[in-house]
Structure formats: C-alpha cells, structure tokens
Amino acid sequence: MPHAEPLLLELFAIFVWAKVFGEIFEQIGLPAVVGEILAGVVLGPYATKLVNPGTTTFSIAQLGAIFLLFTVGLETSPRELIRVGAASLRISLAGVLAPFVLGFAYLRLVRGDPTHEAIFVAAAMVATSVGIAARVMGDLRVLHTRVASIILAAAVVDDILGMIVLAVVAGLASSAGVQWVQLVVLLVEAVAFTVFMVFFGSKVIHRMRPGVERMSTQNAPLILALALCLGLSVAAERIGMAAIIGAFFAGLSFAEYSDEWRLAPRVSAITEFFAPFFFFTMGSRLDLRVFEPKVIVACVVVTVLALIGKVVACGLPVLREGWLSALKVGVGMTPRGEVALIVALVGLQMKMMSQAAYAIVIFMTAATTLIAPPVLRYLFKRDKPEAAT
Amino acid sequence: MPHAEPLLLELFAIFVWAKVFGEIFEQIGLPAVVGEILAGVVLGPYATKLVNPGTTTFSIAQLGAIFLLFTVGLETSPRELIRVGAASLRISLAGVLAPFVLGFAYLRLVRGDPTHEAIFVAAAMVATSVGIAARVMGDLRVLHTRVASIILAAAVVDDILGMIVLAVVAGLASSAGVQWVQLVVLLVEAVAFTVFMVFFGSKVIHRMRPGVERMSTQNAPLILALALCLGLSVAAERIGMAAIIGAFFAGLSFAEYSDEWRLAPRVSAITEFFAPFFFFTMGSRLDLRVFEPKVIVACVVVTVLALIGKVVACGLPVLREGWLSALKVGVGMTPRGEVALIVALVGLQMKMMSQAAYAIVIFMTAATTLIAPPVLRYLFKRDKPEAAT
C-alpha cells in the first residue's frame, strides 16, 4: 500500500493533533471540542499549513458528523422525548425562534448581507449542543436535578428543530430564490419524517427484533444499526435534507434497544475514531484572512445575540420557578455544537455562504461553547451553599 | 452535504450487500468473509456493475485492513505468544516455507511466470487466517483442547511470519531486481521490529499507563490505542513494510490491557464498520475475464499446493501425538485470510501482479477458507465418539 502513505500520515497527524489540543483544553477546564477545532485552525492550510486535509479526509470528516448525530440519537429515548416533549417544545421553540430572528435581522438589515447568507448564519444560531451542557452538569453531579432534565430535554428537541430548520434552509437555498410552495413542502416533509421516526422508528425496530436475534451474522444488531444509519443518511439527502438528520433518527430508532444490544459503547467507539476528523476539518476551513475589523464586530455581535436569544427565550418560560433556575436553563441552552458546524459546512459547500459568514459561525460556535460551562458551573455552585444552608 | 451523496450511497450499498451475502453464507454454514468477497465480485465493475467502488471507498477499505489486523493484534497476548512461541515457531516456519516453495516452484518453473509475480503469489500462500479456524473450533466448543491451542498459537506466529515475508517481498519488488544486501537489511528490519514489539511493546504501554489514566480526555486509552494504530501503520510504511504490520503490532502492545480498558469490544466495533468495505473491494477488483482454462488450472493447482503445503508441513511436527491430531492441526492451518488478500492488494498496487495472478490469490483464499471448516468439523466430530468411549 505504499501510495496510500500520504493519507495515513494525514489521518495520523489530524487525529493526534486534534486530541493533543483537546487534552490541553480539558486540562485547563475548557471543552475539548473547541480544542479540536482550534487544532484545525492552527495547523490547517490558512495558518501554519502543517496539515492540509484532502478530499478523502473530508469524506471521513462527513462520516464523523454522521456518527456524531447517530450517537446523539442513540442516547435519546423517543419515549422520554414524547413524555417531556410538550413541555420542552415551548422552551425549544422560543429558543429556536429568538436567535434566528435576532441573527437574521442583524445580518440582513444592519449588515446588509445577502438573504441566503443571513438565513444560513441565523440557522446555525438555532441548535443547542446536548453534549456540552450534559458534560458540565455531569461533572457537577447535578444531572438528576429538575433544571438539568429541562435543559437536556429542551436541547434534544432543539436539535430536532435545528435539523428541520437546516432541511428547510438547505432546500430553499438549492432552488432559485425563495418559493413558498416549496418551503411548505419541505417543512411538511421534514416534520413528517421527524414525527414518523420519533413515534414509529422504535416500533419498526421492535418488529424486526426476533428476526435480528435469529440472524447468524455476528453482532447482527450493530450491523443493522450501522446499515440503517447509512441508509437513512442517504434517504435524508434524497428528500433534500442533510445526511445527519437521517443518522440522528436512525440512532433514535435504536435508542430503546441500545442497552440490551450494547450499542451505545460500540457506536461511540466508532464516533471516537471519526469525530476528531470532523472538528479538525471544520477548523481547517477557517480562512483567518477574513478577520478584518468589520467581520470581528459581526462575530462578537452574532455571539452576543446567540447568547441573549437563548438565555432570554429559554429562561422566560421557566421564570416562575425562580430567576436562578431560569438563568441556569437559559445558559445551559447557549452552547452550539455539531449542528451549527454542519449548517456552516452545508452553506459553504452549496456556496451559499462566504468565508466571512463561515468564520462568524465558527467563532459563534466556539465562543458559546467556551462561555457556557464556566457560567453554568458558577450558577450551579452558587446554588449549592444555598441548598446546604 | 448534497455532493457527498454518491459516496454515502456507495458506502450504504457496499455495506448492505456485503452483509447480506455474509448472512446467506452463514445461514448455509459457510464463512461470512467469503460471502462478503463474493458480493464484491458479483456486484462489482467486472460483473453486474451495480457498485463501482471509488477512490474514497478504496481508502476506507484500506482502513478496514488496518483495523482487521489491529483487532487480531489486540486479541493476541504477547506473553502467551512468547510462552508458546518456541513450540509453535517450528510448525509455523515449516508451514510458511512449504507453501511458499511449492507455490514459487510451480509458478516460476512450471508456468514460467515472471519472478516477481511468482514471489507475490507464493507470499500470499503463506499466512494462515486466525479467525476462520478459531470460529470453527469455537462453534464446536473445542477451543480448550491441546490441538486448538497449537493451531491458534501457530496461526498467530504464522501471521507474523507472513507479514515479515510481505515486508521483504514488497521491499524487494519496489527496488530494481533482487539485491541481496537490501534483502538482508529488510529481513533484519522486519525481524527487529517484530522482536521489539513482541517483547517491549507491552512494556512501553505499561510505562505510559499512569499518564494515560491521569488524562482528562474521555476514553483516553481508546484514543491512545487508535493513535498508536495509525502511527505504527505510518511507521511501518516508512520503513518499507505494509501498514497492516504496524497496526498488528499496535494491537499487540495493547493486548494485555484490552480487558482492563475494555478495548477489544470497542475496537472490534470500529472493525465491524470498516471490514466489509475491505472484503467487498477485494472482490470487486477481480476481473472475471481472466478465468481462461490456463488460469483456472493454475487456480486449482495453487489451491491444492496451498492445502498440501500446510497440511503436511504443519501436521508432521505433531505426528507423534497421533495422525488425527496431526491432521487436525494441518487442516486448521489451511484457511488463508486478510494477510493473503493484502499481499495481493499490495502486489496489484505496485503493479507486480497481473490480473490473472490476483485472481489466483483470491480463488486460493476463498477456496482454502471454504474447504477447511467442514473438514475440521468432520475431524473434530470423528474424535468425539472416540473420546466418549
């Protein structure tokens, strides 16, 4: 395999650098993902030029995004989702609308960006990352509290809403101009896909269960889950949505059997391998030359709007439980993650987004992910002595 | 990600078809790997043309080969290897030499093939697949018997010898003509790498252990194992060996900690995802047009020589334990696997092998893998009533 060497070397370098930056970030108490993205920025073609991800690495990065969302789906119980769904839906909907409207208004009206670009950046401001908040609250051992379960449920609903927004935005952008009929068709399609997968995905797997357990193939459930993950990713793209949406719903369908079939630890091992390529590649595409004063201002404004939008819109519905709880829920919903990055990626690939807009999204994602954990930690710690006294 | 669709669709099709063929083979009592290879032959560009693996898929297939050997290494205890090594080395050495000499003599002297091609095909006849024999004996619940442990130990040593042969052969072929100095250098290099990794790989990991356990990164041991797998693969290629050799030794270094760090199930999940692409791609490269009468004769002769070589050379050293034990060991050593396929792949990539020679290796690999299990089953079952009376 001598001519494959450049690829292997590239994969090795990306994997190790992403993990080294991630470890350094963890050591100083910051989220590892931001370190992995920064590794891509620092080592990528726009800065030190040490690693220049090629097309194959890029494909592997896309598999990373698919497996990231597959894992999130696998850890989301559809039954639990239906139970808390109605309550969380209010928080999520408000938290999706507010940043989108704020972001779009600022970019389109204040900055005068093209409509499609403003829509993409605004769409990236929508989805909360389940992982970051869960990690912080897990470290603080407060995952069992009411506030934590509100945050987690709302963040998951948020992910779904974010993907619906992405589906609609990507569908819109690929056609010439905004067509209302198409918008409605896409929205209906996305909602129908979501409702079907949330309510029936699990039941389909339940039906297939006896067959799966009779199969002779070793690890048949894992194989079936992987096949469905790839299959629904393809299907999602076919109907004009992003592949990750299919992957998320594939995970969701298997969530109820995740323990029984020991899927979660094994799928997350696959994600452990693929994910660093995704985060590194996202960072490596950030052209540092775009950071002129006007773009830096936009980065900061969009980040502030992304923060305010979530804190206010998600906190308000919880206000009757006290301002501290409201603030915790609001802050817990601020970190953006994979979905924001993927929106930016789709936008860049469809040439709907300039390098500057891409930079704004990466900045906003990294900043919200960095700001939320310490604030959340402070709020929960502030709470503890009160609870003790 | 719209323009990635062809890739995802291709990956989905390959994964599902490979697994469907594998399942059908398992259902009729044949090894799944042969089914996965056959899927590639049947659906590939030389037959029905339904799936034509592109360059990215090919890279993913190579990662499949790397993870296959990484898993084999992870399941091989270096301590156990050192313990049974001396005894198994005799069986392995004989079993490596005999098929190589028989194969080379037939191809070079009888068929008059070019030297480099004869060397490559002969090298592919060398390595026993640990997986096939282990699976059959596991199904028969005879893994605890003395014969089984002889077979497994010898098969592992065999894999290592096979990879040393590959290293030497690939190194030789890449230079112009056979140079004895270079041959000796490569042999020393390969043996030194092997000895170092078998005796010290595990100790290096042992030294790093406190550091690994202090790391903040989640799943630090898995991350480190994956990094070493990629790193040693690159290193192996750098010194002129195949990447899989590095991957195998990376696995071997972590084998002692595989249980403690729960590496085996998680790494094999990654392999489950990647491996089907390897086997399918190997099959898809088989040009069916080469099967003219002369090549078919060569396929059969090479397969027979591959069988006789192993049965006689591996059986003889065990003869004093009775002819039935000798026959079991001999037959248990006959199935070829990943290493044979990788030798063929390297040969094809280096243009050291014609399509006909590639076809001979694929045929030999599939045939030995198909023939061994039923014969082994028959021999072990024949044994059981005797043991009972």
Side-chain angles (χ1 to χ4, degrees), chain A residues 137 140-149:
Chain A
M137 295 188 295
L140 294 170
R141 296 174 192 285
V142 293
L143 272 179
H144 58 278
T145 60
R146 193 175 142 69
V147 167
S149 51

Side-chain angles (χ1 to χ4, degrees), chain B residues 45-203:
Chain B
Y46 293 112
T48 58
K49 299 184 177 55
L50 282 173
V51 182
N52 186 6
T55 51
T56 302
T57 304
F58 194 65
S59 300
I60 288 174
Q62 290 187 312
L63 286 173
I66 286 173
F67 277 109
L68 272 168
L69 269 290
F70 185 48
T71 307
V72 174
L74 211 49
E75 286 163 357
T76 307
S77 158
R79 211 172 288 178
E80 181 70 10
L81 199 62
I82 295 168
R83 200 177 63 78
V84 300
S88 325
L89 197 58
R90 231 167 2 124
I91 302 174
S92 302
L93 266 179
V96 161
L97 273 177
F100 188 89
V101 170
L102 288 174
F104 183 77
Y106 167 68
L107 293 161
R108 184 76 197 89
L109 306 178
V110 180
R111 263 176 61 92
D113 286 342
T115 307
H116 53 80
E117 187 165 303
I119 288 181
F120 261 102
V121 177
M125 295 168 70
V126 154
T128 298
S129 163
V130 190
I132 300 295
R135 182 80 194 276
V136 171
M137 294 187 296
D139 288 350
L140 294 170
R141 296 173 192 285
V142 293
L143 272 179
H144 58 279
T145 60
R146 191 175 144 69
V147 167
S149 52
I150 293 177
I151 294 176
L152 292 185
V156 169
V157 178
D158 220 57
D159 255 350
I160 298 178
L161 291 176
M163 287 190 276
I164 294 177
V165 170
L166 172 61
V168 172
V169 164
L172 275 180
S174 67
S175 71
V178 179
Q179 291 169 320
W180 287 102
V181 178
Q182 214 193 353
L183 176 69
V184 172
V185 169
L186 256 165
L187 194 63
V188 170
E189 227 173 48
V191 171
F193 191 27
T194 306
V195 169
F196 177 81
M197 293 309 299
V198 169
F199 285 89
F200 301 106
S202 199
K203 294 204 172 91

